[in-house]
Amino acid sequence: SQTIHQWPATLVQPVGSPLSLECTVEGTSNPNLYWYRQAAGRGLQLLFYSVGIGQISSEVPQNLSASRPQDRQFILSSKKLLLSDSGFYLCAWSLLNEQFFGPGTRLTVL
Amino acid sequence: ILNVEQSPQSLHVQEGDSTNFTCSFPSSNFYALHWYRWETAKSPEALFVMTLNGDEKKKGRISATLNTKEGYSYLYIKGSQPEDSATYLCAFLGGGADGLTFGKGTHLIIQP
């Protein structure tokens, strides 16, 4: 069966510090991978998606970047965090019509 | 930018009562409509994936209908229980799109 892991589960970072959130998927090959964010008072927003190694599409301009160095690894990064980067970050993978979400990372930027 | 709207934003329901809420989405270029149940600090749990106009799906006390021509879906909960308290998200997938567009969710609170 397929599983999806995210870490860390929670993170508190100062403004201006770098960020690296990792997501890995097990039990499937060549999945489509996604990063979503829920900011306070807002719905889930798609940030990035990837259909293969090294292939990243960005949905909205922002302070973040994503990379896919391996087939089942998806990384969300920032060089300098902003207060507005605070939120709940979800990684997901998809199979046909369905998407499956990881446990999420709660990021607080102070 | 795709517009996916959910109403109401929040809802208080007495235990044992039935309830329903709405998701509206673009009626053009439709591919699929997803419903998720999302509890705080957990990952969203898939409830339904609906693809055909007129679809009705059921899972226990929860059911959903789909009207792609007018761009709406209803989620129904029969005989609400405290464990039904959660945020219910709908998400639209358009043809050729690579990710879901989510509504802001309906936050449901079941009062004992």
Side-chain angles (χ1 to χ4, degrees):
Chain A
S1 64
Q2 300 88 2
T3 55
I4 179 167
H5 304 278
Q6 275 186 253
W7 64 92
T10 59
L11 191 59
V12 180
Q13 292 284 102
V15 168
S17 64
L19 173 74
S20 180
L21 302 182
E22 190 161 343
C23 169
T24 58
V25 182
E26 295 176 1
T28 185
S29 295
N30 198 31
N32 286 355
L33 296 173
Y34 307 84
W35 278 111
Y36 291 89
R37 175 176 66 195
Q38 186 196 32
R42 302 184 68 176
L44 270 178
Q45 182 184 35
L46 178 64
L47 301 175
F48 300 97
Y49 66 89
S50 171
V51 298
I53 295 174
Q55 300 179 64
I56 310 292
S57 295
S58 173
E59 286 295 296
V60 292
Q62 60 216 315
N63 185 42
L64 303 167
S65 61
S67 62
R68 185 168 177 177
Q70 298 180 48
D71 181 44
R72 288 169 288 177
Q73 184 185 30
F74 205 20
I75 297 172
L76 185 70
S77 305
S78 174
K79 291 182 180 177
K80 286 186 178 181
L81 284 168
L82 305 172
L83 286 174
S84 56
D85 292 324
S86 293
F88 189 64
Y89 289 80
L90 282 165
C91 178
W93 71 278
S94 68
L95 176 66
L96 300 176
N97 277 337
E98 297 193 59
Q99 284 200 6
F100 303 91
F101 289 87
T105 295
R106 171 72 60 190
L107 171 66
T108 303
V109 182
L110 301 174
Chain B
I1 297 176
L2 296 172
N3 205 22
V4 179
E5 301 281 345
Q6 288 188 248
S7 64
Q9 190 174 4
S10 66
L11 191 54
H12 288 69
V13 174
Q14 207 64 33
E15 182 178 354
D17 288 351
S18 296
T19 188
N20 65 84
F21 28 92
T22 310
C23 172
S24 63
F25 52 85
S27 55
S28 60
N29 199 31
F30 175 87
Y31 191 78
L33 194 282
H34 296 230
W35 280 102
Y36 289 88
R37 181 177 177 279
W38 193 13
E39 289 185 66
T40 304
K42 295 185 179 179
S43 53
E45 171 200 351
L47 291 173
F48 305 112
V49 180
M50 309 181 80
T51 56
L52 297 175
N53 184 43
D55 244 358
E56 287 191 37
K57 296 211 171 181
K58 189 173 179 182
K59 192 175 185 178
R61 294 179 291 100
I62 303 176
S63 60
T65 60
L66 179 69
N67 183 323
T68 61
K69 293 182 190 289
E70 295 180 46
Y72 64 84
S73 175
Y74 291 127
L75 190 81
Y76 300 89
I77 302 178
K78 188 177 176 182
S80 304
Q81 300 297 308
E83 59 265 28
D84 295 329
S85 296
T87 296
Y88 290 82
L89 296 169
C90 73
F92 170 82
L93 183 65
D98 293 285
L100 297 170
T101 300
F102 282 85
K104 291 185 179 179
T106 292
H107 184 50
L108 176 65
I109 298 169
I110 307 301
Q111 296 166 323

